[in-house]
Amino acid sequence: MSLRSEQARDHAAVAAVHRSGFGPGHGDTVAQLVDALRRDDPSALSLVAEEGGEVVGHVMVSRAWVDAPRRLVEVKTLSPLAVSPPWQRRGIGSALVRAALRHLDERGVPLVFLEGDPRYYSRLGFVPAGELGFGKPSLRVPDAGFQVVRFSAYEPWMTGTFVYPSTFWEYDCVGLRDEVPAASELG
């Protein structure tokens, strides 16, 4: 497996990874979110994992903010992360996250946030953000899923509410939505 920066030629393959990784419905939304983040945040970090010349995984890290009492602090959000189903459980997602975190720490980013499974992300250095004084961007974000990594550029005054860019809101990719029952389930 090799990791590298995403290139324009990878866009269709990255969309396919998200569609298969997130499944019908939500996969399309995530693929559209990635396209929008490319436009809205040209400085976003976008890495792919290749196996045998095929893109099998992708992670994107884009700008966000912490609304700290002193001022807004530019931070990053790690979202989305996907690995094609046949390639899952082989360490590809973990390798992508570790590579992204190394890159961000080297560039002086103070904090990286995400919403995700704490059983998975705690192995990669993420801790519950609420326990460190950070506020969730939405009540729909589960407490346990709201996580952060603090880097060497972090300073203790950099606490407050985490703020997503408008792109995440436009694609309704913040927190969890209740499942809407099908009409046949309503009686």
Side-chain angles (χ1 to χ4, degrees):
M1 173 189 60
S2 65
L3 304 178
R4 61 173 175 78
S5 293
E6 178 193 33
Q7 305 297 314
R9 70 178 187 270
D10 300 319
H11 290 185
V14 165
V17 165
H18 287 291
R19 284 188 181 101
S20 66
F22 283 95
H26 194 59
D28 289 332
T29 301
V30 174
Q32 292 169 11
L33 172 69
V34 170
D35 283 340
L37 288 170
R38 285 187 194 114
R39 287 188 305 274
D40 297 345
D41 184 5
S43 68
L45 175 63
S46 189
L47 301 175
V48 297
E50 274 188 325
E51 191 67 54
E54 174 188 358
V55 173
V56 298
H58 175 254
V59 67
M60 184 170 257
V61 184
S62 57
R63 70 175 171 237
W65 299 269
V66 166
D67 187 9
R70 283 190 191 175
R71 63 177 169 81
L72 280 175
V73 178
E74 187 167 319
V75 298
K76 301 293 181 183
T77 184
L78 191 148
S79 179
L81 167 67
V83 175
S84 295
W87 295 95
Q88 292 176 0
R89 299 191 187 345
R90 298 182 189 200
I92 294 170
S94 296
L96 283 164
V97 171
R98 285 186 182 103
L101 295 178
R102 273 192 309 276
H103 176 89
L104 297 168
D105 193 22
E106 290 169 0
R107 278 148 187 81
V109 172
L111 299 157
V112 176
F113 291 83
L114 62 74
E115 294 178 40
D117 183 345
R119 293 171 298 184
Y120 179 78
Y121 288 103
S122 65
R123 296 181 294 123
L124 300 169
F126 285 86
V127 297
E131 293 178 11
L132 298 177
F134 295 103
K136 299 184 300 186
S138 168
L139 294 176
R140 292 182 288 108
V141 177
D143 290 344
F146 179 51
Q147 298 167 74
V148 67
V149 167
R150 295 179 293 182
F151 291 127
S152 53
Y154 169 77
E155 296 180 31
W157 65 267
M158 296 177 176
T159 57
T161 301
F162 175 68
V163 180
Y164 275 113
S166 62
T167 308
F168 282 87
W169 296 100
E170 290 165 12
Y171 287 87
D172 198 15
C173 289
V174 176
L176 302 174
R177 290 277 178 206
D178 291 336
E179 292 291 322
V180 178
S184 62
E185 296 173 10
L186 295 175

